[in-house]
Amino acid sequence: MVEQQTKGRAIALLPIGVFLVIFLGAGIITKDFYAMPAIVGFLIALFVAFLQNRELTFAEKIKVIAKGAGDENIITMLLIFLCAGGFSGAVTAAGGVESTVNFGLSILPAKVAVVGLFVIGCFISISMGTSMGTIAALAPIAVGISEQTGFSVAICIAAVVCGAMFGDNLSMISDTTIAAVKTQGCEMKDKFKANFLIVLPAAIITILIFLFITRNLEVQIGNDLPYNLWKVIPYLVVLVGALAGINVFLVLIAGTTISLIVGVTTGSIAVGEIFNVVGNGVTSMYDITVISIIVACIVSLVKEYGGIAFILDIIKKRIKGKRGGEFGIAVLSLLVDLCTANNTVAIVMAGPIAKEISDEFEISPKRSASLLDIFTSVGQGMIPYGAQLLSAASLTGLTPFVIMPYLFYPMLMAMSGFLYIFFRKKK
């Protein structure tokens, strides 16, 4: 049993409750869940946390959050975020995204164009590590295929979103994967293997469903799909290197370097712009980096006040054994994502609690990391106020609710995850 020196107190969870009320309240009132920046909500929550527990002085609370934010896993996670941003900026500027998309579409049979959108989305997102980037890259292609066939735009863009969430959950350089493995203390390759086995059935069934509903589809994809295989190489290097278990920093630095070389060689990047494109990618990760620091501060105070101990007490009273612990992690992850509408933020918030649960019920770190990542991705891939669906809708002129019925992969991923829990092998 994990030693708990702090008594569980429900009031310690007040800062998290304040954040949820402010964030969700602003979204409901304005009908825009991104009207209030998440960082503002978290700063207010941190202020509330500082007002609590007069037993500790202000200086003592500063020491608590400094220790929490300075944790080895938090610092490593932040550095990986920045390196991943640098790679994304370099490979995008080099034209890697466009070439990879066009290459995939050019080799696919025309009759499986919609399935191809899903498969290419899987590859792009697992290589890029971002569902948003994948949706932005493939949405125009989805609209084009719909126009050529007269088939529903909703189904085409849903295939893109499904593929985007596949890689968002699995990619070695995805911020969700980084957050999951660092909060749970496992290796990326181990989490990938465990995670992949869970979601593979969901991906296969998704392909079969898209094949079935588009079985009468006739399509001719245009010939104007220029690509350069050299520009695909950085993605392959990162993907293969990460799967081989090479240190993630070395993989990302190598991918960034190769992207710059390819970009300069092909004329996509001017020599004088190489530092700018990397810098732009790094700055694109500032938001999640700062949010992660603030969340780490909030969680450290919540834990110090007894909030995590309180949650563990509730869970232990209602669940038993490893299967119950895994179910608790799954539900916790899903609920936090539904409230925050950001799966990375949800993992950063739920991660410490999931770690406590996994330690208490002797759940392996790779299993808890997989469940944490899977079920936050399930929520993120289905909620109509999430960035993914809002982006897909805005890029295609639809509403999120029109796309939702065709989001087969997130639904099947949830089913696969729960089946994995209930039919887990006992060792």
Side-chain angles (χ1 to χ4, degrees):
M1 180 178 294
V2 177
E3 182 181 358
Q4 295 180 356
Q5 299 179 349
T6 306
K7 181 181 179 182
R9 296 184 179 90
I11 192 63
L13 298 172
L14 179 62
I16 297 177
V18 168
F19 167 76
L20 296 178
V21 169
I22 292 175
F23 186 77
L24 290 177
I28 293 172
I29 293 173
T30 63
K31 298 182 180 180
D32 178 5
F33 282 86
Y34 292 88
M36 169 180 281
I39 185 62
V40 176
F42 281 121
L43 284 172
I44 294 174
L46 181 60
F47 177 74
V48 172
F50 265 102
L51 294 178
Q52 288 184 285
N53 197 343
R54 296 183 179 180
E55 296 177 2
L56 295 179
T57 65
F58 180 81
E60 289 172 332
K61 292 174 183 177
I62 289 292
K63 290 181 180 179
V64 171
I65 67 171
K67 184 178 180 181
D71 181 83
E72 178 184 354
N73 289 327
I74 296 296
I75 296 299
T76 304
M77 178 177 69
L78 299 179
L79 291 176
I80 295 176
F81 281 163
L82 299 180
C83 288
F87 168 71
S88 177
V91 75
T92 301
V97 176
E98 182 181 1
S99 283
T100 304
V101 170
N102 289 348
F103 172 70
L105 288 175
S106 66
I107 63 176
L108 282 171
K111 290 186 178 181
V112 294
V114 174
V115 173
L117 285 172
F118 172 69
V119 174
I120 294 174
C122 291
F123 178 76
I124 295 295
S125 58
I126 205 171
S127 302
M128 291 176 63
T130 166
S131 54
M132 293 297 293
T134 302
I135 292 171
L138 289 180
I141 305 296
V143 173
I145 289 178
S146 174
E147 290 175 348
Q148 292 181 48
T149 63
F151 213 71
S152 170
V153 178
I155 291 180
C156 293
I157 193 63
V160 170
V161 175
C162 288
M165 297 314 301
F166 176 88
D168 190 283
N169 168 237
L170 279 175
S171 175
M172 298 289 189
I173 60 173
S174 169
D175 46 7
T176 59
T177 294
I178 295 167
V181 299
K182 290 305 173 185
T183 57
Q184 302 309 296
C186 66
E187 295 292 330
M188 287 192 179
K189 62 179 181 179
D190 295 331
K191 183 263 185 187
F192 177 87
K193 293 174 183 176
N195 201 338
F196 183 74
L197 292 176
I198 300 173
V199 302
L200 180 60
I204 293 174
I205 296 174
T206 299
I207 290 175
L208 295 177
I209 292 175
F210 278 125
L211 280 174
F212 178 77
I213 64 176
T214 60
R215 62 191 182 280
N216 297 322
L217 179 64
E218 293 293 338
V219 57
Q220 289 293 329
I221 298 177
N223 295 322
D224 188 20
L225 294 171
Y227 62 86
N228 186 328
L229 289 178
W230 288 106
K231 296 182 179 181
V232 183
I233 289 179
Y235 285 132
L236 296 177
V237 169
V238 170
L239 183 60
V240 173
L243 289 175
I246 300 174
N247 182 278
V248 65
F249 288 108
L250 294 178
V251 170
L252 290 172
I253 291 172
T256 302
T257 303
I258 294 173
S259 297
L260 293 174
I261 293 173
V262 170
V264 171
T265 303
T266 58
S268 299
I269 302 176
V271 176
E273 293 294 316
I274 58 175
F275 297 113
N276 285 336
V277 298
V278 175
N280 291 337
V282 172
T283 56
S284 71
M285 301 297 284
Y286 280 3
D287 282 352
I288 188 60
T289 300
V290 174
I291 286 175
S292 296
I293 294 172
I294 300 301
V295 169
C297 294
I298 295 171
V299 171
S300 62
L301 287 176
V302 168
K303 183 176 182 179
E304 180 70 20
Y305 299 163
I308 292 180
F310 174 77
I311 293 175
L312 285 174
D313 289 340
I314 293 178
I315 292 176
K316 285 188 290 185
K317 290 177 182 178
R318 288 168 172 75
I319 60 179
K320 296 180 180 180
K322 290 186 179 181
R323 184 177 287 111
E326 291 176 357
F327 182 77
I329 292 174
V331 173
L332 171 69
S333 305
L334 181 59
L335 290 178
V336 174
D337 184 76
L338 294 179
C339 292
T340 60
N342 185 305
N343 47 342
T344 306
V345 172
I347 290 173
V348 173
M349 289 185 68
I353 301 175
K355 179 60 175 172
E356 296 280 357
I357 295 173
S358 64
D359 289 342
E360 174 68 26
F361 295 98
E362 299 181 347
I363 300 168
S364 68
K366 65 181 180 181
R367 294 173 77 98
S368 61
S370 296
L371 292 172
L372 191 62
D373 202 347
I374 285 171
F375 282 94
T376 52
S377 294
V378 166
Q380 195 64 28
M382 296 179 64
I383 53 178
Y385 51 88
Q388 285 74 7
L389 274 184
L390 289 174
S391 175
S394 64
L395 289 170
T396 56
L398 302 174
T399 66
F401 297 100
V402 175
I403 303 171
M404 288 173 64
Y406 305 105
L407 296 174
F408 306 116
Y409 179 70
M411 301 176 196
L412 291 168
M413 184 163 54
M415 293 175 59
S416 184
F418 282 122
L419 290 174
Y420 164 82
I421 293 172
F422 291 120
F423 293 98
R424 67 186 302 278
K425 293 182 180 180
K426 294 183 178 181
K427 295 185 179 179

